[in-house]
Amino acid sequence: QVQLVESGGGLMQAGGSLRLSCAASARTFNYYAMAWFRQAPGKEREFVAAVTWRAGTTHYADSVKGRCTISRDTAENTVYLQVNSLKPEDTAVYYCAAHRSGYLYYRESYGYWGQGTQVTVSS
């Protein structure tokens, strides 16, 4: 079992930047990867980025590649998402997730989710 708590969301201006954090608490942390997903109103939850825990290998959705950076702090069991050049279409609830099994880009591959943090980008 792992508990995930996101923070860092809020109201942002287009063109600005934000940094989301996800603190993970567990007795033993041995998840293969952590990821960020987001869900805009009326849309499916979509993959944003993932990072493998040991190697730090990163993966990004095409829609955010070049604007997002995912990173992790293995000592603090925390994963971060930096988003630059914010756009109104980045408005969504952002969720942190711990990988269970399967393809990193699939929502079904993640077994644990945080409660989400709202990001609203105004133009």
Side-chain angles (χ1 to χ4, degrees):
Q1 280 277 354
V2 62
Q3 290 187 325
L4 305 173
V5 180
E6 302 98 334
S7 60
L11 178 62
M12 312 289 171
Q13 292 287 325
S17 299
L18 66 80
R19 190 190 196 207
L20 303 178
S21 300
C22 173
S25 60
R27 280 191 178 181
T28 55
F29 197 87
N30 56 1
Y31 297 93
Y32 173 70
M34 297 289 292
W36 288 94
F37 285 73
R38 66 185 182 185
Q39 187 166 16
K43 294 190 175 182
E44 298 273 327
R45 191 172 300 188
E46 64 173 4
F47 172 81
V48 177
V51 59
T52 60
W53 201 250
R54 287 193 175 183
T57 305
T58 56
H59 305 264
Y60 297 96
D62 288 341
S63 60
V64 302
K65 204 171 287 185
R67 294 195 300 123
C68 280
T69 302
I70 188 170
S71 60
R72 87 271 190 257
D73 183 332
T74 56
E76 297 293 329
N77 283 354
T78 301
V79 62
Y80 303 96
L81 182 71
Q82 175 83 24
V83 186
N84 300 320
S85 302
L86 284 165
K87 305 175 182 179
E89 49 264 45
D90 291 321
T91 296
V93 178
Y94 284 71
Y95 296 91
C96 174
H99 184 259
R100 178 174 53 194
S101 64
Y103 191 45
L104 289 179
Y105 289 66
Y106 290 166
R107 184 178 59 189
E108 295 76 13
S109 299
Y110 295 82
Y112 300 98
W113 295 84
Q115 81 289 350
T117 184
Q118 176 71 48
V119 171
T120 303
V121 182
S122 63
S123 57

